[in-house]
Amino acid sequence: MVRRIFVLAALATMVALVTAGCGGNDRSAVTSGAGGSPSATASSGTASASPAACPSQQNKKFAKTRFAADAGLAFGAFHRWIWKPYRAGTFQSGAEGRTAAMVKGAAAGAFALNRLNAARKLVDDDPTLCKALKQPLDALWNSVNGLTEKLRSGNLDPAEIGTVGGAIDAFRDRSRQAGTEIKDREPPSLGN
């Protein structure tokens, strides 16, 4: 019992720290073309970023590899701490272990947001990734953010997890088409 309380306290602390690092800093509007307004890239409804918003050459070494690693950690956290409990029915009202699953899910969501934010920065530094994945990744980040907020507040409709899971699978397919395969990576764990 004491161990569980310690683990839940540690997870809550991790959620607070990671969320503070991610908090409200929406990178969808940070990159803009020369003289362009930052909000122009965020409000565009197309599936790819405008060429002016994307770099003409790679700005960071191993951007694609690092992007795949960060996205893989985010997807691994989602699948381990959110998707598996969802499939087991743990998020259903009245299910045994629901509260612990919600706390762990919120922590995993915050971790996934942190890694997706890192992936977003790397997408902005690679012309191929930027053109193919910038806006879909921003949309995915927003979906995971909304789910994390609902997990944190406890006002979750479990069907929303299925929607976000589908968005992750669609993004993974789009990334593969862009030439970068994302494999789930096991995230760090604070306990079961």
Side-chain angles (χ1 to χ4, degrees):
M1 181 69 178
V2 173
R3 180 175 180 241
R4 284 188 179 181
I5 292 171
F6 175 73
V7 169
L8 288 176
L11 284 171
T13 302
M14 184 176 87
V15 168
L17 292 174
V18 172
T19 304
C22 297
N25 186 8
D26 186 8
R27 293 229 344 116
S28 63
V30 172
T31 304
S32 66
S37 70
S39 61
T41 57
S43 63
S44 175
T46 61
S48 62
S50 67
C54 295
S56 59
Q57 62 185 6
Q58 190 172 18
N59 295 330
K60 290 189 179 175
K61 292 183 179 182
F62 306 109
K64 286 183 182 180
T65 304
R66 293 167 55 198
F67 159 77
D70 284 331
L73 282 168
F75 295 173
F78 174 83
H79 283 108
R80 169 68 175 94
W81 298 103
I82 300 172
W83 185 255
K84 284 183 181 179
Y86 161 70
R87 298 283 296 197
T90 309
F91 290 113
Q92 295 296 330
S93 181
E96 185 176 330
R98 182 174 189 260
T99 303
M102 295 284 262
V103 170
K104 290 178 182 180
F111 176 81
L113 285 172
N114 179 274
R115 293 298 81 214
L116 286 175
N117 202 41
R120 290 165 81 187
K121 291 174 185 177
L122 292 164
V123 163
D124 288 341
D125 289 324
D126 184 272
T128 305
L129 292 178
C130 182
K131 290 173 187 165
L133 301 177
K134 181 174 178 48
Q135 289 183 344
L137 183 55
D138 288 344
L140 179 62
W141 189 92
N142 288 328
S143 296
V144 174
N145 186 43
L147 179 65
T148 302
E149 290 297 322
K150 290 179 180 179
L151 282 164
R152 187 177 307 137
S153 70
N155 297 324
L156 174 71
D157 176 8
E160 294 177 48
I161 296 173
T163 303
V164 173
I168 287 174
D169 290 341
F171 182 81
R172 187 189 314 264
D173 289 342
R174 186 168 186 126
S175 177
R176 186 178 303 119
Q177 292 171 356
T180 304
E181 184 153 357
I182 302 171
K183 296 180 181 178
D184 284 1
R185 296 185 61 195
E186 186 67 29
S189 176
L190 292 177
N192 294 333

